[in-house]
Amino acid sequence: MSTNSSQQPGPQLAPRNENGSAPVWLTVVGIGDDGFAGLTRAARRVLFDASVVYGAQRHLAMLPARLRARRERWPSPFDIEPLLCEPHLNVCVLASGDPMLFGIGATLARHVGAEQMRVLPAPSSLSLAAAKLGWPLQDVATVSAVGRPHAAINAALHDGARLFVLSNDGATPAAIAASVTSRGFGETKITVFEHLGGPLERRIDGLAHAWDTAECAALNLIALDCKAGDDRPRVALTPGLPDDAYIHDGQLTKRDVRALTLARLAPAPRELLWDVGAGCGSIGIEWMRAHPSCRAIAVEANAQRQRFIERNREALGVPALQLVAGAAPAALAGLATPDAIFIGGGVTAPGVFDACWSALKSGGRLVANAVTLEGEATLTECRKRHGGTLTRVALADVQPLGGFETWRPALPITLYETVKP
């Protein structure tokens, strides 16, 4: 079939950036399930001007035959290195919907630099689903299950919450339904959208406990309108979850002290915590629950407690918590530099505090707790060398005494807090 060459200018040199510096040689085009026909005029022009187009086979198959650019499938396993080796002419990448939303756009920006690329997004699957459901998109949490543990949604399960789950495959909706039911959210309304925005679009509605669609289309998005059962324990967003939210053997920073400790550790987005002598992992878990981008490494030598950490991180929705099996200070070697450190166990062990202090970045926070006189003496000496504050915490609970009730004091806790210059 002949074509009009005036409509196909062919590969051209990449344009300069708006400030005239580095050339913009890479364009990421978002494409929906409606394919090439759904693209804007600007996005189509980019594709016709491109020298090469990278994308998944599904996206490349949407392009018309008259487009002359070389087409390259992403390698398996996925790797952007072939793209980075391209000569800097006009290179285009096709991505689903909005490439900057759980997409390849952010990955490319880290490697190429935002100043050398531009992004032409299409409506994301989240925007399309929110429009169909009538949900304010800014009020809906989003969790990705693409190549990630389904337990990540557990941190977002709250009565009345609305949640989008980016699905990994056709079996994901049934697995998510079973998971939320097991967590006490069986009355949650589930909506699955298949092939959003395309000719094969389909919607499936149901309740989590009664979900009976074993396999959906591989391309799907899950919407959860969460409803907790009457007997579902409340799991708050604030630090200091109930002690029975954890599986433990008694080696646990108790609820009230945990809240005080987290307040001093002061988690912030993208920061990394070392939880040294982690016990059942409660400090690291609640650090990560403070913000989706918070990271934590739990260092624990006891094998049984390591299993507790694994089970607790799944149940409380932070499966990305890294577990290092070993005893400090040896187990600390080679770990990523922390923004904050909590020493919950082993503060009197030779070399532990010094190794932690040496690894902590400038401006980082260190908090350590002690119950014994020996531990308190160690923290007192640390304060002499590195400054900071010591706080004595004494708590008491009401317990029976014969036919009456009285206060039973718990062992006092000494909290040490300091900031590295």
Side-chain angles (χ1 to χ4, degrees):
M1 180 179 69
S2 63
T3 57
N4 186 338
S5 61
S6 65
Q7 295 179 336
Q8 300 182 57
Q12 301 177 358
L13 292 176
R16 305 295 292 181
N17 203 326
E18 291 180 356
N19 60 15
S21 57
V24 177
W25 60 273
L26 175 63
T27 303
V28 186
V29 174
I31 189 168
D33 214 51
D34 51 356
F36 189 79
L39 294 178
T40 64
R41 186 172 182 176
R44 294 186 193 185
R45 176 52 55 196
V46 164
L47 288 165
F48 277 116
D49 288 348
S51 58
V52 58
V53 180
Y54 279 82
Q57 179 59 36
R58 180 174 69 88
H59 293 141
L60 294 176
M62 296 175 175
L63 300 179
R66 67 183 186 275
L67 193 147
R68 296 191 299 185
R70 174 166 50 94
R71 307 179 191 200
E72 293 286 349
R73 289 179 59 180
W74 291 117
S76 182
F78 178 80
D79 186 5
I80 66 170
E81 189 60 31
L83 178 145
L84 299 178
C85 294
E86 289 286 348
H88 287 186
L89 295 174
N90 281 341
V91 179
C92 184
V93 169
L94 285 176
S96 294
D98 185 346
M100 302 305 293
L101 182 70
F102 294 95
I104 194 174
T107 301
L108 292 172
R110 288 195 301 270
H111 288 84
V112 173
E115 71 283 355
Q116 296 185 54
M117 60 180 281
R118 58 177 168 163
V119 179
L120 302 178
S124 69
S125 59
L126 307 186
S127 294
L128 295 173
K132 292 179 180 299
L133 291 166
W135 290 2
L137 189 54
Q138 71 273 11
D139 296 337
V140 185
T142 302
V143 177
S144 175
V146 180
R148 305 180 187 186
H150 294 167
I153 73 168
N154 291 342
L157 288 178
H158 300 279
D159 192 37
R162 287 171 169 171
L163 178 64
F164 283 140
V165 181
L166 301 178
S167 189
N168 188 59
D169 53 30
T172 303
I176 295 297
S179 177
V180 301
T181 299
S182 71
R183 303 297 303 166
F185 284 82
E187 293 298 320
T188 292
K189 295 178 182 178
I190 298 183
T191 301
V192 174
F193 293 102
E194 300 177 337
H195 295 285
L196 262 169
L200 299 177
E201 180 176 312
R202 184 170 75 128
R203 172 173 173 166
I204 309 170
D205 293 279
L207 295 178
H209 71 82
W211 190 259
D212 58 1
T213 305
E215 191 77 20
C216 298
L219 186 63
N220 70 79
L221 175 74
I222 306 165
L224 303 178
D225 195 352
C226 299
K227 181 174 176 56
D230 294 338
D231 57 348
R232 162 68 183 174
R234 181 177 174 82
V235 181
L237 294 171
T238 52
L241 297 180
D243 292 346
D244 59 11
Y246 296 94
I247 299 172
H248 61 90
D249 61 356
Q251 193 67 21
L252 167 75
T253 302
K254 299 300 190 292
R255 180 180 192 173
D256 297 303
V257 176
R258 193 183 327 125
L260 292 169
T261 299
L262 265 298
R264 285 161 169 75
L265 287 169
R270 295 178 296 280
E271 288 190 330
L272 172 66
L273 170 76
W274 284 4
D275 184 0
V276 180
C280 71
S282 62
I283 294 293
I285 287 170
E286 295 193 27
W287 168 280
M288 291 184 66
R289 285 173 58 88
H291 191 273
S293 67
C294 285
R295 298 167 295 134
I297 300 174
V299 180
E300 176 56 53
N302 183 281
Q304 183 184 36
R305 292 170 188 159
Q306 293 163 15
R307 304 293 80 78
F308 292 159
I309 292 172
E310 291 171 345
R311 294 165 68 181
N312 289 329
R313 69 184 178 185
E314 296 285 317
L316 292 168
V318 290
L321 172 69
Q322 181 182 346
L323 173 60
V324 174
L332 306 178
L335 299 183
T337 302
D339 299 280
I341 297 176
F342 173 62
I343 307 176
V347 70
T348 58
V352 169
F353 184 92
D354 290 340
C356 290
W357 185 256
S358 177
L360 186 64
K361 66 170 53 175
S362 178
R365 292 92 63 201
L366 187 148
V367 176
N369 292 355
V371 177
T372 66
L373 290 175
E374 291 79 5
E376 186 174 275
T378 298
L379 297 183
T380 301
E381 179 60 31
C382 291
R383 178 172 175 269
K384 289 180 181 178
R385 290 188 286 138
H386 302 293
T389 62
L390 286 172
T391 303
R392 172 69 65 83
V393 179
L395 299 169
D397 294 322
V398 171
Q399 295 183 13
L401 178 64
F404 299 92
E405 293 183 318
T406 190
W407 291 103
R408 294 283 187 187
L411 292 173
I413 307 290
T414 300
L415 277 68
Y416 172 58
E417 174 191 4
T418 190
V419 176
K420 189 173 182 178

